Amino acid sequence: MTVEGVPRPIVFIGDSITEGWGDARPGLFAAHGFVNRGVGGETSGRIRARFRADLVAAAARGVHLMCGINDIAEVEGPVPLGRVQDNITAMVAQARDLGLPVWLGSVTPAAAIAWNPEIMPGPAIAILNAWLKDLAATEDARFADYHGVLATPSGALRPEFGTDGVHLSDAGYRAIEPVLLAALHGRDRAS
């Protein structure tokens, strides 16, 4: 699909993990015509507030959504997982209202949050990822399990794939690209 001769993009919406992906791997984004709308530090609520506008402004043909770690890290204070789930469910519904396919990226692994050491994120990440996988199945979306590629057996981010235990290095982004491309290919075949 094109708009005035320009292919419509898949828009990547999320937090700093998404933002960093476009910065670390611009060739991937350029080669596939992806548009990056990741904003560091944003929670699912902040992402939800701009979600529809970002999709419309980019004339999206699909959306890749990955968020939740900043909610778990309590960037803006404690947030019940139910609220995170409500925000993500609402964003999937908005994408569906726009007629767009959705790819849901898992929350990437973290054993600790350097800027909030009292938080032990592993259990919340596991719960949210299981829920995201189920949501994808019920909403005819695709789930991209980045966590499985990046995690140690204990659920931490593998050191060679991260910069601070949460954010991904270039090697981390390279490691998840096959997962992304497989999810996109699977979705395109189903379309």
Side-chain angles (χ1 to χ4, degrees):
M1 294 180 152
T2 62
V3 175
E4 296 181 24
V6 177
R8 292 173 55 199
I10 295 174
V11 179
F12 281 59
I13 297 182
D15 51 36
S16 59
I17 306 294
T18 298
E19 181 180 37
W21 200 347
D23 293 342
R25 307 293 292 156
L28 172 78
F29 278 68
H32 295 279
F34 300 152
V35 170
N36 191 323
R37 294 290 187 262
V39 178
E42 286 198 336
T43 60
S44 62
R46 289 193 182 270
I47 294 167
R48 178 181 177 181
R50 67 179 169 87
F51 185 79
R52 185 181 188 93
D54 279 358
L55 294 176
V56 171
R61 72 173 169 91
V63 59
H64 176 280
L65 176 63
M66 185 167 57
C67 64
I69 192 64
N70 287 328
D71 297 282
I72 292 167
E74 299 184 1
V75 168
E76 296 179 350
V79 178
L81 279 182
R83 185 175 307 148
V84 179
Q85 293 168 338
D86 289 346
N87 288 332
I88 293 170
T89 300
M91 288 186 273
V92 169
Q94 288 177 32
R96 292 291 185 223
D97 287 348
L98 293 169
L100 302 177
V102 177
W103 292 270
L104 293 172
S106 68
V107 179
T108 55
I113 306 292
W115 59 91
N116 193 349
E118 295 177 9
I119 301 296
M120 302 313 298
I125 290 172
I127 291 167
L128 192 54
N129 281 340
W131 177 83
L132 284 165
K133 185 175 182 179
D134 289 345
L135 179 68
T138 61
E139 292 295 327
D140 190 32
R142 297 290 295 181
F143 178 71
D145 183 8
Y146 305 128
H147 189 277
V149 172
L150 298 169
T152 66
S154 66
L157 178 61
R158 290 173 47 187
E160 67 269 26
F161 292 151
T163 60
D164 61 3
V166 174
H167 295 94
L168 303 185
S169 64
D170 288 350
Y173 288 115
R174 282 193 308 273
I176 64 174
E177 284 174 17
V179 176
L180 167 67
L181 296 175
L184 293 176
H185 178 70
R187 180 61 185 161
D188 288 342
R189 274 189 320 199
S191 295

